[in-house]
Amino acid sequence: MSLEPNALRDIVVSVKDEDTGLPILCSNNIKALQIDGTKVQVVGVLGYAAQSQWPQWEAQIVRALQEQPGVEHAECVFEQKIVAHATQNSVARLPGIKNIIAVASGKGGVGKSTVAVNIALALAAEGAKVGLLDADIYGPSQPTMLGLTGRPALQADQKMVPLEKYGIQVNSIGFLIDSDSPVIWRGPMVTSALMQLLQQSVWHALDYLIIDLPPGTGDVQLTLAQRVPVAGGVIVTTPQDIALLDAKKGLRMFEKVGVTVLGLVENMSMHVCTQCGHAESIFGAGGGEKMAQQYGVPLLGQLPLDGHIRAHSDKGCPTVIAEPQGACAQKYHAIARKLARELAQKPRDMRASFPKVVTQPATKSS
């Protein structure tokens, strides 16, 4: 009995991720499907970081294939190929960065910076090359959260080499000023500092640069939208009505300037008492889910109000690193994978594929 390639391909694309209910591979992601008698080998290429799930997904596809008549042995292996995706208004890409993802909130105090650093670390743990830019000029917190001190090294061309910690590249205004010195700058100086941090840092072969934006919808956010090639934005909120009002403003800001909103993260969704296990929705319930439905964006995940998350950040060792197998870390991983998958479904940036056209004045013939 000969095996039919198209039928086997249909079997492969019918296998779904048990967590999301979505197909693991689509037809375009199947790099190779080889048949040798009763043996079948599949090579899949994923355009997003999710390497922790590969063994599970490979096993699912192998089981599905081996259930087919005539298949005695099956193999499945995954490869990763993260590409650059289209940005708003065709803003020119920056060297060394494939995709810039901005993490924003309409107001302060919702845990945006904690979410940003843990997403960055989760993406790195999932196999991506990741950078983190702390764009909160007035209140940089990433140096403390990552336990980083010192200044970036300067190259001969005066460009900064980002510091590294836990496998990610990091830069922040916090590395360039004293930790107890306030930044008393007007808007133009703040936006200038942001652009210098971004453009004068030597980012090395990043799949994703996560930008931790300051809260609000002011000068920094507008500059980012107009001058920085952002592949997508993420909104962080709590379920509280007041936080949701400001989060909606942040979402609409991204929409108005042409930045794709990849999803919403609801932080502090639930508090579980460490003494008795009682769960309580301190800031309300269901707000993030309702907002996601209202605006037609994915709810990337819901995170608990957990004292360990705060303690890990204060110690300079975020939750994804401090307790990698813990429940909270796994939630961050799930959010990071879903975020990366949402981006992978967006149009690719094809500008690098086209040759540059140079016009020159015609020369007069003698």
Side-chain angles (χ1 to χ4, degrees), residues 91-288:
V91 178
R93 284 174 54 189
L94 296 174
I97 307 170
K98 290 180 183 176
N99 300 290
I100 294 177
I101 300 172
V103 180
S105 65
K107 69 188 300 294
V110 299
K112 169 188 54 61
S113 294
T114 304
V115 170
V117 69
N118 279 288
I119 285 177
L121 292 168
L123 286 170
E126 294 286 352
K129 294 180 180 179
V130 182
L132 176 64
L133 176 66
D134 188 353
D136 194 344
I137 305 299
Y138 292 118
S141 56
Q142 295 302 346
T144 299
M145 289 187 172
L146 289 165
L148 274 170
T149 58
R151 292 175 178 264
L154 291 179
Q155 296 188 153
D157 58 3
Q158 298 301 299
K159 289 191 175 183
M160 295 176 285
V161 179
L163 301 181
E164 293 194 23
K165 190 73 176 284
Y166 305 129
I168 64 174
Q169 302 169 41
V170 187
N171 207 353
S172 168
I173 193 68
F175 298 143
L176 307 177
I177 60 174
D178 294 333
S179 59
D180 57 351
S181 296
V183 176
I184 308 174
W185 293 345
R186 295 187 183 276
M189 293 182 65
V190 172
T191 56
S192 176
L194 169 64
M195 296 309 298
Q196 287 181 349
L197 282 172
L198 185 59
Q199 296 176 334
Q200 295 184 19
S201 297
V202 184
W203 304 104
H204 180 65
L206 298 182
D207 295 314
Y208 308 106
L209 175 65
I210 305 299
I211 298 185
D212 177 16
L213 287 176
T217 55
D219 290 335
V220 171
Q221 291 83 353
L222 186 58
T223 296
L224 188 86
Q226 293 176 333
R227 299 170 57 186
V228 178
V230 181
V234 176
I235 303 294
V236 180
T237 185
T238 67
Q240 188 177 11
D241 289 343
I242 294 175
L244 289 165
L245 286 173
D246 290 328
K248 291 175 182 179
K249 294 176 184 177
L251 187 147
R252 294 299 301 273
M253 175 199 69
F254 277 142
E255 289 181 341
K256 288 184 177 181
V257 296
V259 172
T260 300
V261 178
L262 299 172
L264 182 74
V265 175
E266 184 183 84
N267 200 21
M268 309 181 198
S269 295
M270 181 76 65
H271 175 257
V272 179
C273 178
T274 57
Q275 300 299 317
C276 67
H278 173 68
E280 185 176 3
S281 301
I282 295 176
F283 295 107

